[in-house]
Amino acid sequence: MRSRFNINNYSNLGQRAITAFFGALVVVGGSIYSDWTYFFIFAVILGFSQMEFYKLSGLDGMLPLKSFGTFLGLMIFTLTFLIEKEQFPHEYLYLMFPLVSLTLFIKLYRKTDKKPFTGVAFTYLGIFYVAVPFSLLNLAVFSVDQVYHFEILIGCLLILWASDTGAYFAGTKFGKTKLFERVSPKKSWEGFLGGAFSAIAVAFVLARYFHVIEDWKWLVIAGIIIIAGTYGDLIESLFKRSIEIKDSGHILPGHGGFMDRFDGLLLSAPFITAFLKIF
């Protein structure tokens, strides 16, 4: 009989490698193919990530507006993409202010909420913590001459993945000195340094082949990802520990949920975008 492929038959490392390979294939391939495939792929990632955040908030007794909050996040992502693509004028971004304000109107009519403003706060937090960083990627990929450059996105992702991979293997092999034991007992300074070395090595390679930005900027981006990405991982760990769970979800075998996979990007994206826009 022909055996069926079942990813659950593999070890955690095996599942992690398989998921990373096919996930990277979709993300990298789609981002290179066109700006519209990039938009679609990251809109899906954003939607799942924001829904995960609201689901986790619900486990801690919060009542955010899951569907409406995710809709607002996707609207911000869509508007920033279309504005950067110069299909909409910048004035359309003002639409977000009345749309976001509708959260208060909706909560006003929710009779079951004992603490409505807590729900409003977590609805907004899901937008600012998840949707805004993903939306800022649109500003980053269009930061050079208002033309879509997949090299910027792919470069940032490769540096981030190299940092995560280097930290994982260095921490597993050599990790002894705790990095932030109160929040994440398994993370170590050895892992951090391994991730930093891998990220900088990839940045040097990118500087040689991706000339859409100056060489030195890739090194600065690597530095941002090393620091901000690590803090992003720690912040998500703090969030998960506060509600006593291990992973944000189970949709990505070996990785957990979308927030587990993209937590470093959530904190890195604002700094990277600001850097590219200012310099």
Side-chain angles (χ1 to χ4, degrees), residues 27-221:
V27 172
V28 173
S31 299
I32 292 174
Y33 185 75
S34 76
D35 51 358
W36 283 107
T37 51
Y38 147 77
F39 167 77
F40 176 76
I41 289 170
F42 274 85
V44 171
I45 294 172
L46 164 58
F48 276 109
S49 299
Q50 202 166 348
M51 288 298 289
E52 279 181 1
F53 175 83
Y54 289 140
K55 180 182 177 181
L56 297 180
S57 301
L59 294 178
D60 203 28
M62 308 304 167
L63 294 173
L65 297 174
K66 299 178 183 178
S67 299
F68 187 68
T70 304
F71 165 75
L72 289 175
L74 290 171
M75 279 293 295
I76 294 173
F77 183 77
T78 302
L79 280 175
T80 52
F81 175 78
L82 293 175
I83 289 170
E84 290 299 311
K85 196 173 167 60
E86 297 186 332
Q87 294 197 352
F88 279 8
H90 283 80
E91 288 77 9
Y92 273 68
L93 199 58
Y94 289 109
L95 289 171
M96 290 314 307
F97 295 107
L99 284 173
V100 169
S101 298
L102 288 177
T103 305
L104 296 166
F105 289 86
I106 294 172
K107 276 293 183 180
L108 182 65
Y109 288 94
R110 287 285 183 92
K111 297 179 180 180
T112 56
D113 290 5
K114 294 181 179 179
K115 296 181 179 180
F117 273 85
T118 304
V120 170
F122 272 83
T123 301
Y124 288 161
L125 182 58
I127 294 170
F128 286 103
Y129 178 47
V130 182
V132 169
F134 276 111
S135 300
L136 287 173
L137 289 178
N138 293 325
L139 278 67
V141 296
F142 284 96
S143 62
V144 181
D145 302 325
Q146 291 300 115
V147 176
Y148 173 71
H149 289 285
F150 70 84
E151 297 94 335
I152 294 175
L153 175 67
I154 299 304
C156 291
L157 290 176
L158 289 176
I159 293 172
L160 179 64
W161 292 340
S163 178
D164 288 344
T165 303
Y168 177 81
F169 284 105
T172 302
K173 184 71 174 178
F174 306 106
K176 292 182 181 179
T177 311
K178 300 300 180 183
L179 178 65
F180 211 119
E181 189 172 8
R182 178 175 63 85
V183 173
S184 186
K186 292 184 178 181
K187 288 182 175 55
S188 64
W189 278 104
E190 290 80 4
F192 172 80
L193 293 174
F197 176 82
S198 300
I200 293 171
V202 169
F204 271 109
V205 175
L206 292 172
R208 184 170 183 178
Y209 294 100
F210 285 178
H211 301 298
V212 65
I213 59 176
E214 293 91 332
D215 294 355
W216 66 272
K217 289 184 178 179
W218 286 118
L219 298 177
V220 174
I221 289 173

